[in-house]
Amino acid sequence: MGTKLLLCDCAGSQPLNADKISSACEVECSKVHTALCTRELEIAAAALQQGDTIIACGQEQEVFQALADELNVDALGFVDLRDRAGWSDEGADAAPKMAALAAEALLPQPVTPSVDVFSEGTCLILGPGDVAFALAERLAGTLAVTVLVTDETEPMSRAFDVVRGRIKTLDGALGGFTLRLDAFQQLEPGGRGAFAWTETRDGAQSGCDIVLDLTGDTPLVQAPAKREGYLRADPKDSLSVERLVFEAAQLVGTFEKPLYVRMEETLCAHSRAEQIACTNCLDICPTGAITPAGEHVEIDPMICAGCGECAAVCPSTAITYEDPPVSALLSRVHILARTYRRAGGVAPRLLIHDAHGAEMIRLSARFGRGLPADVIPLELSVISGFGHAEMLAALAHGFARVDVLLAPTTERDALDRELTLAQAIAGSGALGLLDETDPDALSDVLYAQEVSQPLADPVLPLGNRRQIARLAAQALNPQAEAPLPLPDNAPYGAVAVNTDACTLCLSCVSLCPSGALIDNPDKPQLNFQQDACLQCGLCKGICPEDAIALVPQLDLSDAALSQQVLNEEEPFACVECGALFGVKSTVERIMDKLAGTHPMFATSDKARMIQMCDNCRVNAQFQQQDNPFQSAPKPRVVTTEDYFSKRKDH
């Protein structure tokens, strides 16, 4: 049985063209109902019992989900056509957008990998005694509470543990915090009068599942709002402190932690031979989840909050986002653009947004102008990782314009950088960020936008982020003959070599993390494949002659996929055997500097060894009187005759 789309015009407040939606997205549509959530609930129940039903209503999901639970029906789907399309000044022309939204709702999405996090309720409360002790009293019956009191207030209860000290480091997240403390003291419960304390000691270590910070000082972790299990409140704000009681009590049990990103260490260009190269992800991670680990970086999945910025700026695709993967995201973009065109639409615009943006769209639809009929919204759990590859791919799929609607809490660093890069490739007129917090202002901006024509022949870019960006850029720049200039820190480009300064030492080749710089085993030659270059700067930093410069650009021709010679010289022929070795100019320069002047090469025979290959040089060393490898003469073998002759002498 195929999937059926259950339509409702919400008390006649929106026009619905069931035939156009059905034909464009190839799904069976019901007749258009008017009050499925109330008077016609029995019709909805009958449709749910038939299975594989998607209800075209976003507002009353809880009503239909409760009905499905009562009927013991699984896999209930929803798509919001009303707020995103029907309720609009252009709602009468929104049938192509409705078809696209319906088709996207039918697309199966991959499940994000996850791990289980266990919290047994071990809780550490930090703060002044008057506030911390009262909070501990409230939580002691639910959690295993320890109070790290930050003042001299004496505890009056033994319902919880009390310690003193100064936190030196705090690492981890929910279910796995670790901390180191200096000036640590434990309470001694025995004796009369005030409690006594143990001697202070430094370097104490402990752990807990939950941390409640009531100090009111600088947070102990980066991005505290994104660190699961770390709760803060101003000790002077009684309402905020009271809220912590409820929040902390909910953090006991087994929780599912999504694994937002995947790391491929062999592709990472962080460093080689202790020379630091790419630090993009380290610089941009808001939570501090990424740390150096030798030649690559490592990501703590418990600290990672899933913003996706690291994947957006990673030049080598060593870090990939998994919630959702880029392939799943582009599948949604593709189905939206394709279905819109099949339903008769011409120049769709794509609006990327998160939950905050979804609420703005709902408010604009209910009380304002709603979205234009050609603006197709696409909701993501986070938008900060929507990088240049995704922006370019959306244009290549046939969207006339792509906008990202920012939220007040959006991490903008990666978005600003990626937008600049995407605009350098596709032009500034088709991409933008919308920083609007008023629903009416958002609608006004979208209605006033000038929209250019989309790509006449849309393409389907596939592969990793680098491959997707290249294929999309080729489709968007079909007439490009010269490489496209890019801003600094772009992940694409060329390497310019000063051939007068370069000695072909090939240290750059040995350290290049992507294999863009290549040597020739047969002769002194430095080759370069532009498509593989990450612009990490490792070659520039390691070059002893300062002969390398980075040129950020995107060469869309086939020449970027093949090797080109950056520098080459004539090899030197060994004066003994004629074998080719080294660089002729280098050997001659060494001869000029050392022969006849350096003590080790004072004679012509000694100097001649500079002009020999490795094998001939070793042979020449063995033939010399002062051979450094020569040992003492081998002792003569003692025979039986020697033994008897020695006896005769005695």
Side-chain angles (χ1 to χ4, degrees):
M1 182 181 297
T3 303
K4 184 175 183 179
L5 182 62
L6 203 57
L7 298 177
C8 179
D9 64 10
C10 197
S13 60
Q14 64 169 333
L16 288 172
N17 190 327
D19 293 336
K20 181 171 285 191
I21 294 173
S22 177
S23 61
C25 62
E26 299 179 346
V27 65
E28 180 186 357
C29 291
S30 71
K31 74 170 189 177
V32 178
H33 302 283
T34 299
L36 277 178
C37 60
T38 53
R39 299 191 308 272
E40 299 173 311
L41 195 59
E42 292 183 357
I43 297 176
L48 292 177
Q49 288 178 318
Q50 295 177 5
D52 293 330
T53 300
I54 293 181
I55 301 178
C57 179
Q59 176 179 284
E60 300 300 324
Q61 290 189 25
E62 293 186 3
V63 172
F64 294 113
Q65 190 60 59
L67 178 61
D69 293 341
E70 182 180 335
L71 299 173
N72 198 24
V73 174
D74 297 328
L76 185 63
F78 298 93
V79 57
D80 180 10
L81 301 182
R82 185 195 69 183
D83 295 337
R84 298 190 291 173
W87 279 1
S88 164
D89 285 0
E90 298 178 351
D93 302 321
K97 177 162 71 167
M98 290 183 178
L101 295 173
E104 190 246 340
L106 295 169
L107 195 65
Q109 293 298 309
V111 177
T112 303
S114 62
V115 294
D116 288 338
V117 174
F118 304 97
S119 172
E120 298 178 346
T122 305
C123 178
L124 177 67
I125 301 178
L126 317 171
D130 56 343
V131 180
F133 293 153
L135 184 61
E137 287 277 7
R138 301 280 304 278
L139 291 172
T142 306
L143 308 176
V145 178
T146 298
V147 175
L148 178 59
V149 63
T150 57
D151 57 16
E152 299 299 320
T153 305
E154 293 288 338
M156 300 301 294
S157 172
R158 293 295 295 144
F160 47 85
D161 292 329
V162 181
V163 297
R164 290 176 177 170
R166 182 176 65 257
I167 293 184
K168 188 175 182 181
T169 60
L170 176 66
D171 300 309
L174 175 65
F177 284 103
T178 59
L179 58 155
R180 292 175 58 87
L181 303 100
D182 288 343
F184 179 71
Q185 290 180 287
Q186 291 177 284
L187 184 144
E188 293 185 341
R192 189 178 180 184
F195 290 118
W197 299 85
T198 61
E199 293 293 328
T200 61
R201 63 186 179 94
D202 294 338
Q205 300 183 26
S206 186
C208 60
D209 298 320
I210 308 163
V211 175
L212 305 185
D213 186 353
L214 300 176
T215 60
D217 294 333
T218 303
L220 299 172
V221 297
Q222 286 184 243
K226 298 178 181 292
R227 186 68 62 94
E228 295 175 347
Y230 182 82
L231 308 178
R232 298 180 68 223
D234 185 343
K236 299 177 182 179
D237 187 345
S238 58
L239 184 60
S240 297
V241 174
E242 188 68 22
R243 189 181 296 116
L244 289 189
V245 177
F246 174 77
E247 294 178 357
Q250 309 304 310
L251 296 180
V252 181
T254 302
F255 303 89
E256 201 173 68
K257 171 68 175 180
L259 299 177
Y260 295 108
V261 296
R262 180 168 55 87
M263 177 74 195
E264 179 55 58
E265 297 175 355
T266 57
L267 299 178
C268 183
H270 171 58
S271 73
R272 293 293 185 275
E274 299 184 355
Q275 298 293 319
I276 302 300
C278 176
T279 60
N280 287 351
C281 59
L282 294 168
D283 297 337
I284 211 163
C285 179
T287 63
I290 306 177
T291 54
E295 293 192 347
H296 56 84
V297 299
E298 62 182 10
I299 303 174
D300 188 335
M302 298 299 106
I303 298 178
C304 174
C307 69
E309 289 188 290
C310 56
V313 301
C314 179
S316 66
T317 70
I319 302 177
T320 53
Y321 197 62
E322 298 292 304
D323 187 33
V326 64
S327 58
L329 173 57
L330 294 189
S331 293
R332 297 171 64 186
V333 173
H334 169 65
I335 201 71
L336 287 171
R338 187 188 69 176
T339 308
Y340 184 87
R341 291 192 299 270
R342 290 178 60 178
V346 177
R349 288 180 279 169
L350 185 65
L351 179 63
I352 303 296
H353 64 89
D354 57 8
H356 177 269
E359 182 61 23
M360 288 186 62
I361 291 172
R362 286 191 289 268
L363 291 173
S364 174
R366 180 171 287 275
F367 301 108
R369 302 172 68 186
L371 297 180
D374 62 341
V375 173
I376 303 178
L378 177 59
E379 182 175 354
L380 303 178
S381 54
V382 291
I383 58 175
S384 49
F386 194 80
H388 72 278
E390 292 87 345
M391 297 177 188
L392 297 175
L395 295 177
H397 277 298
F399 281 97
R401 182 178 176 87
V402 178
D403 287 294
V404 180
L405 176 58
L406 302 174
T409 57
T410 300
E411 302 285 350
R412 289 194 55 166
D413 293 342
L415 277 173
D416 290 334
R417 173 174 166 174
E418 293 296 286
L419 176 65
T420 301
L421 176 57
Q423 288 178 335
I425 297 173
S428 60
L431 298 163
L433 300 180
L434 298 179
D435 192 4
E436 297 289 347
T437 57
D438 179 77
D440 291 331
L442 171 64
S443 296
D444 293 341
V445 168
L446 292 174
Y447 276 98
Q449 274 183 347
E450 293 185 6
V451 184
S452 58
Q453 289 300 310
L455 200 63
D457 297 312
V459 298
L460 187 63
L462 299 174
N464 60 35
R465 266 191 162 108
R466 290 182 67 87
Q467 295 165 337
I468 289 169
R470 179 177 178 80
L471 292 172
Q474 287 177 326
L476 296 170
N477 299 273
Q479 306 300 324
E481 297 181 358
L484 304 176
L486 299 181
D488 293 338
N489 300 317
Y492 315 102
V495 169
V497 174
N498 183 348
T499 55
D500 294 332
C502 176
T503 61
L504 285 174
C505 67
L506 301 181
S507 58
C508 54
V509 172
S510 62
L511 295 185
C512 181
S514 64
L517 290 167
I518 312 148
D519 65 348
N520 188 333
D522 298 325
K523 57 182 177 180
Q525 192 177 75
L526 177 61
N527 297 311
F528 176 68
Q529 183 174 330
Q530 187 169 162
D531 178 61
C533 181
L534 308 177
Q535 295 284 287
C536 65
L538 189 55
C539 56
K540 179 181 178 181
I542 199 62
C543 180
E545 309 299 338
D546 196 23
I548 295 179
L550 301 180
V551 184
Q553 63 179 32
L554 183 58
D555 189 350
L556 301 177
S557 69
D558 292 340
L561 305 177
S562 58
Q563 295 182 20
Q564 55 181 300
V565 178
L566 296 182
N567 191 18
E568 64 178 335
E569 289 196 37
E570 182 181 349
F572 190 85
C574 175
V575 294
E576 286 289 329
C577 67
L580 300 178
F581 77 98
V583 181
K584 184 177 181 180
S585 63
T586 302
V587 174
E588 292 175 346
R589 187 163 56 250
I590 294 174
M591 285 289 295
D592 292 340
K593 288 186 177 181
L594 300 181
T597 59
H598 194 281
M600 290 185 63
F601 305 99
T603 67
S604 59
D605 290 340
K606 296 276 191 178
R608 195 167 186 270
M609 285 193 293
I610 299 176
Q611 299 174 300
M612 296 181 187
C613 65
D614 293 344
N615 292 333
C616 294
R617 190 178 302 119
V618 172
N619 290 333
Q621 288 278 13
F622 271 108
Q623 300 301 323
Q624 292 180 357
Q625 292 295 326
D626 57 349
N627 176 14
F629 306 107
Q630 187 176 12
S631 60
K634 185 177 181 181
R636 189 175 66 86
V637 178
V638 178
T639 65
T640 304
E641 291 295 330
D642 294 328
Y643 174 72
F644 283 118
S645 64
K646 182 180 280 190
R647 291 190 64 185
K648 289 178 181 180
D649 293 341
H650 287 80

